[in-house]
Amino acid sequence: MTSDVDRMKVCLNGERIPAEHPRVPLTPGELARAAESSVAAGAQAIHLHPRDRDGAESLAAPDVGAAVGAVRAACPGVGVGVTTGLWITGGDPHARAVAVQGWAGLDDAGRPDFASVNVSEAGWAELSAALHAAGVATEAGVWSVADVRALATFRPANPVLRILVEVTGGPAATAAERADEMLAELDRTGAVEPRLLHGDQDTCWPLVAHAGALGLASRIGLEDTITGPYGEAVTGNADLVRMGLTTWRSAAPARRPAPGAGLSDG
């Protein structure tokens, strides 16, 4: 039986800057410390957005390797993943693919275990192939029923590690309903990969609870929210992980987890 402690991924920073919350980690050292405290609080996997020397998001191999390497040294044995957001290369899918191809030259310590791929973005299938060639697993992010259907038409040479069901924007009151529509479409299309359910901003906390109720993995961290479930201030990522696990457990029925619902690094 998979325990509820290994149901939460921490998303350390995203696009945020310290002006939004003073504990947003940017440098490799800051990311390492935030990851270490988050894992101590119960996070079982780590997602981060590497930054360059100026603090801007980066997919360049040296920046990715520095961030991942620092986090891996602080959290040995914990899966470390990164973003591949198309906005980071100014909306240029080719530039993104070239940057990811450079990850193949990273050593084992600096190469991510997995990377999130937004199915809604241009060039996502080619990106998954580039990740496979670099030795990095794909997490497929679906934001809509249309994304689920697009994913169903494409299965890369490397199996998808997990499917990230992401409800972004819109009112919190309908977040669970929108998530259920995507989950039902995944069932209809025969998707067998493990699923992780999460939201951001207003939809974040309702979906942590909904994931617990469904026995699915979820995620929490300063990328997705800078406040607790009741709008209270938080000290940082580790605080959010503790609150997230409490919310997840409170909603979880007293039963075995859904098959394949736990997290792994691939």
Side-chain angles (χ1 to χ4, degrees):
M1 179 174 178
T2 304
S3 71
D4 57 5
V5 175
D6 62 9
R7 293 314 184 78
M8 196 64 62
K9 177 192 289 186
V10 62
C11 48
L12 295 174
N13 55 357
E15 300 178 68
R16 292 197 192 275
I17 58 175
E20 297 177 80
H21 191 286
R23 298 297 294 276
V24 171
L26 300 183
T27 69
E30 290 169 348
L31 288 164
R33 290 188 290 275
E36 185 175 28
S37 62
S38 296
V39 168
Q44 192 262 348
I46 299 161
H47 172 78
L48 60 90
H49 290 217
R51 305 299 179 101
D52 63 19
R53 291 183 178 180
D54 296 323
E57 292 176 281
S58 173
L59 300 182
D63 298 323
V64 172
V68 171
V71 168
R72 198 184 303 285
C75 305
V78 180
V80 182
V82 300
T83 185
T84 61
L86 187 57
W87 63 89
I88 299 174
T89 58
D92 184 340
H94 177 70
R96 177 176 63 177
V98 170
V100 167
Q101 288 164 8
W103 300 359
L106 294 170
D107 60 21
D108 290 343
R111 188 182 308 114
D113 295 302
F114 48 84
S116 57
V117 173
N118 299 322
V119 174
S120 61
E121 293 178 347
W124 71 271
E126 294 78 9
L127 173 62
S128 182
L131 287 168
H132 178 48
V136 179
T138 291
E139 296 182 300
V142 294
W143 296 1
S144 66
V145 168
D147 285 353
V148 173
R149 292 171 181 164
L151 179 63
T153 67
F154 172 77
R155 280 293 182 266
N158 56 318
V160 171
L161 176 63
R162 68 179 64 91
I163 297 174
L164 310 177
V165 178
E166 309 180 29
V167 179
T168 62
T174 63
E177 179 182 352
R178 287 179 284 157
D180 287 343
E181 290 173 353
M182 285 188 275
L183 292 167
E185 189 67 13
L186 285 168
D187 290 339
R188 191 192 69 77
T189 59
V192 298
E193 295 85 357
R195 302 167 190 179
L196 182 153
L197 173 61
H198 77 97
D200 71 351
Q201 306 296 355
D202 291 346
T203 65
C204 175
W205 288 107
L207 290 182
V208 170
H210 196 51
L214 296 176
L216 297 175
S218 191
R219 83 174 197 183
I220 197 71
L222 291 174
E223 174 175 354
D224 287 347
T225 185
I226 56 174
T227 62
Y230 304 103
E232 65 271 40
V234 297
T235 59
N237 281 295
D239 203 13
L240 285 169
V241 170
R242 285 187 287 269
M243 291 178 177
L245 284 169
T246 297
T247 300
W248 192 98
R249 292 178 184 130
S250 296
R255 57 171 172 77
R256 293 179 68 88
L263 294 169
S264 70
D265 64 10

